[in-house]
Amino acid sequence: MNEQNIFIVRTGEVALKGMNKPYFEKMLQNRISQNLREFKKQAEENGWSPVSVRRNEGLIFVRAPKEIPEEKVLRQVSRVFGVSSVSPSVESKSDLDAIGECAVSFMMKQIEERGIKTFKVEAKRADKSFPVKSPDIARIIGGKVLKGCKVLKVDVHNPDVKLFVDLRRDETFLYDRKVSGMGGLPLGTNGRGLSLFSGGIDSPVATWMMAKRGMVVEVMHFHSYPYTSQRAQEKVERLVRIIASYSGTVKMHIVNLLPVQEQIVMHCPEDETTILVRRFMMRIAEQIAKKNGCQMLITGEDLGQVASQTADSLVVTDQSVSLPVMRPLIGMDKMEIIDRAKEIGTYETSIEPYEDCCTVFLPKHPVTRPKLSKILESESKLDVDKLIQDAVLSEEVKEIRY
């Protein structure tokens, strides 16, 4: 009987990285280890067998003491970006008799716990020097299971359990399920970005999607106190904490936008308020991004969703900064974004009815096709550099952990 629970971790897209594959695998191995650090500490404090994460022939193997519930380990590993799927497994020597004995024990447990009556064996021979080919391994192990578990019958079309046998040089692993992971790329393999993060539905999804592509994300949140409340900011922190459950600790930059908004309302045309505020937000974010080594800005904009997200508005907005702007939601419709928000667990928090800075001083009829020349003319009435500098100086930084 194994003293540890064993998990086979598949790397999905990482497997396609060619010569760079070892680098991506190492990054993924490190991220899985980080996600399991609480379990490592727990095992050490209680004198249990250690938690280990190792790479072997394109797979990652996690071992954890049986005292830690299997489903808890599965949950933590499957949330790591770069993991395609995870299988709880049992281990055997790479010998047909030993594999058969292990398979019988495994299937007897399924009979007791789930009342299964039919099965099918699928075998994969990763060690090509093994003298028996994969179809024959499946046939031999299936025969041993039939002999050892007399209540079972073979059903090749719709079995209650599909038993997978993964035969390798030094050990063989048996399992019956694959738990889907998040996919994507390991965090830290694709640079660093700063996400403009409101309390709505879109920006948390956009942030999550860029993290899924391997980007370390920091978040930028604007408030307009006292028009926006402390509870509104607490809501945003809870959203960031959900993102942190996938990406690890997230650096959160908080800036007071109210002085900028007041100057725009006082000196500029009302219908340009939204686009002017947006340009200032981008400039302020760019300053903080550069200061923190972020290579690009990230927004939750979705083409045509609101006045500030028309094609004309986005072009004018982008003219205000030199950093590239990533918009992972740009071609999605609202229902697709909502579905993704529900999937990652941010939706219920996002729809809580707290105000954000974008709703402060909202014009009745915002311009949807702004002209850059007119926007620049309006900005000439403001002390742009000082407003940006004062906003950056108001920055508060928090480390948000899951």
Side-chain angles (χ1 to χ4, degrees):
M1 182 66 69
N2 293 312
E3 296 180 358
Q4 293 179 303
N5 288 323
I6 303 168
F7 304 85
I8 301 174
V9 183
R10 300 172 192 84
T11 59
E13 189 176 346
V14 169
L16 307 176
K17 289 300 176 182
M19 297 293 289
N20 292 324
K21 181 180 171 184
Y23 164 73
F24 282 86
E25 288 180 343
K26 181 66 174 175
M27 291 292 285
L28 181 56
Q29 180 183 7
N30 290 341
R31 287 295 172 184
I32 293 171
S33 292
Q34 288 178 25
N35 250 35
L36 298 176
R37 60 186 177 275
E38 290 300 321
F39 296 150
K40 289 182 178 182
K41 182 180 178 182
Q42 192 178 355
E44 187 176 334
E45 289 175 347
N46 288 280
W48 302 335
S49 60
V51 175
S52 67
V53 182
R54 69 178 179 89
R55 293 180 291 147
N56 184 28
E57 298 178 320
L59 296 176
I60 294 175
F61 294 89
V62 174
R63 295 173 184 267
K66 286 190 175 294
E67 290 86 352
I68 299 174
E70 184 179 271
E71 293 302 319
K72 285 190 175 183
V73 179
L74 269 176
R75 183 174 185 273
Q76 286 301 101
V77 174
S78 64
R79 291 173 77 87
V80 176
F81 293 126
V83 171
S84 172
S85 65
V86 189
S87 292
S89 66
V90 295
E91 184 181 24
S92 165
K93 294 179 181 178
S94 291
D95 168 86
L96 287 176
D97 288 336
I99 297 169
E101 185 178 328
C102 186
V104 170
S105 175
F106 184 91
M107 298 304 286
M108 287 298 292
K109 186 178 179 182
Q110 306 308 309
I111 294 169
E112 292 171 11
E113 294 181 354
R114 297 163 56 187
I116 66 164
K117 296 182 179 178
T118 60
F119 78 104
K120 175 186 178 181
V121 178
E122 288 190 6
K124 181 176 72 173
R125 183 185 57 154
D127 176 16
K128 300 305 180 187
S129 67
F130 193 79
V132 184
K133 294 183 178 180
S134 298
D136 294 325
I137 294 172
R139 177 180 54 79
I140 292 167
I141 300 305
K144 290 180 180 293
V145 170
L146 281 173
K147 186 176 179 180
C149 306
K150 299 187 183 302
V151 298
L152 292 182
K153 294 182 179 179
V154 174
D155 184 343
V156 297
H157 300 296
N158 189 30
D160 295 333
V161 165
K162 189 179 290 185
L163 176 64
F164 296 92
V165 178
D166 185 353
L167 189 146
R168 295 176 174 268
R169 186 179 301 276
D170 298 318
E171 62 254 317
T172 293
F173 299 92
L174 293 85
Y175 57 93
D176 69 335
R177 61 176 171 142
K178 295 181 181 180
V179 177
S180 294
M182 289 294 159
L185 295 172
L187 206 67
T189 57
N190 256 330
R192 183 179 293 270
L194 179 64
S195 179
L196 279 71
F197 200 99
S198 72
I201 296 170
D202 300 342
S203 57
V205 175
T207 305
W208 182 90
M209 288 178 70
M210 292 305 291
K212 183 181 177 183
R213 298 309 304 158
M215 178 167 283
V216 174
V217 288
E218 299 184 15
V219 301
M220 172 96 243
H221 177 64
F222 294 96
H223 69 82
S224 302
Y225 183 81
Y227 294 95
T228 57
S229 65
Q230 181 61 33
R231 294 190 71 181
Q233 183 173 313
E234 290 169 358
K235 167 190 169 180
V236 171
E237 291 181 18
R238 282 187 281 123
L239 284 168
V240 176
R241 191 164 288 111
I242 295 170
I243 301 300
S245 72
Y246 297 96
S247 66
T249 301
V250 176
K251 195 177 198 179
M252 180 176 176
H253 307 268
I254 304 162
V255 165
N256 181 11
L257 193 63
L258 183 59
V260 171
Q261 292 172 300
E262 288 176 332
Q263 287 297 305
I264 290 172
V265 169
M266 192 180 304
H267 297 290
C268 302
E270 182 191 8
D271 64 343
E272 293 177 357
T273 301
T274 299
I275 191 71
L276 287 166
V277 168
R278 193 68 182 169
R279 280 168 60 88
F280 270 93
M281 291 169 74
M282 298 292 277
R283 286 166 167 146
I284 295 162
E286 181 178 50
Q287 293 293 316
I288 290 173
K290 288 179 176 179
K291 188 171 65 173
N292 288 273
C294 295
Q295 301 154 295
M296 55 191 65
L297 303 177
I298 303 162
T299 78
E301 290 162 320
D302 167 20
L303 187 62
Q305 183 176 176
V306 293
S308 64
Q309 297 177 24
T310 64
D312 298 86
S313 294
L314 295 179
V315 169
V316 172
T317 298
D318 283 0
Q319 294 277 348
S320 64
V321 292
S322 59
L323 285 181
V325 182
M326 299 290 107
R327 296 183 171 96
L329 311 185
I330 196 70
M332 299 173 70
D333 64 40
K334 194 65 178 184
M335 291 311 300
E336 289 175 311
I337 298 169
I338 288 172
D339 288 343
R340 181 61 59 87
K342 290 178 178 178
E343 175 190 338
I344 67 176
T346 56
Y347 179 74
E348 293 301 327
T349 303
S350 290
I351 62 174
E352 291 177 6
Y354 295 114
E355 68 290 331
D356 65 56
C357 69
C358 296
T359 62
V360 177
F361 308 120
L362 196 66
K364 291 181 179 179
H365 303 289
V367 61
T368 58
R369 302 188 68 181
K371 300 296 182 185
L372 182 60
S373 58
K374 292 190 66 177
I375 296 300
L376 292 174
E377 181 183 343
S378 296
E379 287 182 346
S380 70
K381 302 171 186 175
L382 306 170
D383 191 342
V384 173
D385 291 340
K386 186 176 189 308
L387 286 170
I388 293 171
Q389 182 183 10
D390 289 348
V392 171
L393 289 173
S394 77
E395 176 195 15
E396 177 188 357
V397 179
K398 292 188 175 185
E399 299 278 344
I400 305 296
R401 294 177 172 83
Y402 177 54

